[in-house]
Amino acid sequence: MRVARICVIRHGETAWNAEGRVQGQTDVPLSPVGQAQARALVPALAGERFAALYASDLARVRQTAAPAARALGLAPSLEPALRERHYGKFETLTYAEARERHPEDYARFRAKEPDYDFGTGESLQRFYERSVACVGAIAARHAGETVLVFTHGGVLEMVRRHALGSGLASPRDFEIPNAAINWIEAGPGAWRVLAWAETGHLDAALDDLRE
């Protein structure tokens, strides 16, 4: 059975990441730190031969993918389904502000209720299904090949949980740093994590998603 080998990378740092502010699907650009992280990915990926490059259509991901795409000679295929979870009324707030202004909603978010959708956003269950379906479709399209995917921290979490069969409610016991390199193998039978949160190419990397 042929499987796809997929390098999955979270976007570089933004000013909102540094502030602990919820971005979700709000279109925030990279900070100067994030731009430097995007450039640092180029030599780290240079030894690989990728059949294709996919990216979320949000600016911070497109900007992260751009230097590698140029160096590898690949035109990014933009996939809206690779976007971050829609956090509804939490977006633009810091986590502290969300906890203070919407305490009941915040408690449901922290409890990882699968059907809670922030009133105007996306439930965890639906986000999981979207993320896994998108990456699964990419894997099916590129069976036997190696591909590069630039996306968001939430999508990475859903992908890892699916690969390990760990469910949605268990505590997150792994890192998801900005611009880290992660490898999975995905096929019709099962997914497998090959490597995770590689940051040797970076001076520093922030994992702001733990709150």
Side-chain angles (χ1 to χ4, degrees):
M1 183 183 299
R2 295 196 309 162
V3 299
R5 184 168 166 260
I6 307 177
C7 180
V8 194
I9 297 175
R10 184 187 177 198
H11 63 79
E13 187 175 311
T14 70
W16 284 24
N17 288 146
E19 295 169 5
R21 196 170 297 280
V22 181
Q23 295 176 119
Q25 296 189 9
T26 305
D27 210 4
V28 181
L30 292 181
S31 66
V33 171
Q35 292 168 6
Q37 291 172 334
R39 293 191 295 270
L41 284 164
V42 173
L45 299 172
E48 295 288 342
R49 292 178 61 86
F50 295 102
L53 187 158
Y54 293 86
S56 159
D57 61 342
L58 296 183
R60 58 192 183 271
V61 177
R62 289 188 285 106
Q63 291 173 336
T64 305
R70 286 193 296 269
L72 295 166
L74 295 171
S77 296
L78 300 183
E79 280 281 359
L82 286 171
R83 287 183 179 188
E84 183 59 276
R85 182 181 179 185
H86 194 314
Y87 285 90
K89 59 190 172 187
F90 279 26
E91 292 191 14
T92 77
L93 303 178
T94 65
Y95 286 105
E97 289 168 343
R99 182 172 57 242
E100 180 180 347
R101 297 183 192 182
H102 308 289
E104 292 182 8
D105 294 273
Y106 188 80
R108 297 182 69 183
F109 160 63
R110 291 290 290 163
K112 298 185 177 180
E113 292 185 15
D115 297 323
Y116 174 66
D117 66 359
F118 307 93
T120 56
E122 185 175 23
S123 73
L124 184 59
Q125 182 64 40
R126 185 164 183 174
F127 175 51
Y128 168 79
E129 292 168 357
R130 166 168 69 83
S131 301
V132 170
C134 183
V135 175
I138 291 171
R141 202 174 300 142
H142 294 283
E145 298 178 326
T146 299
V147 295
L148 184 55
V149 173
F150 288 85
T151 186
H152 303 263
V155 174
L156 273 158
E157 179 173 356
M158 297 301 101
V159 165
R160 182 180 169 105
R161 287 181 180 276
H162 180 72
L164 297 180
S166 58
L168 298 179
S170 61
R172 177 158 72 87
D173 58 358
F174 51 91
E175 297 294 312
I176 312 178
N178 286 119
I181 294 173
N182 312 275
W183 286 93
I184 67 164
E185 195 175 73
W191 293 18
R192 191 160 63 100
V193 175
L194 304 177
W196 197 262
E198 296 179 346
T199 57
H201 55 293
L202 303 172
D203 292 332
L206 181 66
D207 179 1
D208 62 307
L209 301 175
R210 287 191 178 278
E211 193 280 313

